[in-house]
Amino acid sequence: MSERKVLDDESRAALIAQYGTRGKKAIDAIDSHLVKKYLDFFVVTGSSAAYVVCEEVCTCRDFAYRQKPCWHLIAVRIAEITGKYETIEAWYQEKGKI
């Protein structure tokens, strides 16, 4: 198993430099524990809804419009690298949320 990376000040600055506001929102989501890993999907709680992220695709309108990483997708990438997500031992699909 690979070693988890730390989200230090240098990493945070690099993410914000690369992604701007989206990077900042992604970091805030990690710090606020808004990323959850279900058995089938990652789910990120946004300001108005929860968004499913699966295989580089997000269900938010920003991703659908731009087809580029939204802050939800960036947050999941960070969470996977750092291990900073809550694990939910349930299938998100079965909760009737999709």
Side-chain angles (χ1 to χ4, degrees):
M1 179 166 245
S2 64
E3 182 180 328
R4 296 289 183 189
K5 306 287 185 199
V6 177
L7 188 57
D8 58 15
D9 290 341
E10 185 178 340
S11 299
R12 290 168 185 265
L15 285 163
I16 293 169
Q18 182 172 354
Y19 295 107
T21 303
R22 287 178 179 83
K24 173 73 169 99
K25 286 182 177 182
I27 292 167
D28 290 346
I30 295 294
D31 291 342
S32 299
H33 311 285
L34 299 179
V35 180
K36 298 182 179 16
K37 184 178 190 284
Y38 285 81
L39 295 173
D40 47 357
F41 303 111
F42 274 94
V43 177
V44 181
T45 304
S47 57
S48 60
Y51 300 99
V52 174
V53 176
C54 181
E55 298 182 16
E56 301 298 314
V57 175
C58 181
T59 58
C60 76
R61 289 190 300 187
D62 181 47
F63 182 83
Y65 176 73
R66 293 178 342 107
Q67 295 292 301
K68 292 183 181 178
C70 57
W71 70 264
H72 313 103
L73 193 117
I74 298 165
V76 168
R77 288 177 180 169
I78 295 167
E80 288 178 310
I81 291 168
T82 62
K84 294 194 177 279
Y85 54 83
E86 180 182 349
T87 301
I88 309 290
E89 293 295 328
W91 298 96
Y92 190 73
Q93 280 182 315
E94 292 179 3
K95 293 184 164 277
K97 301 204 178 203
I98 294 183

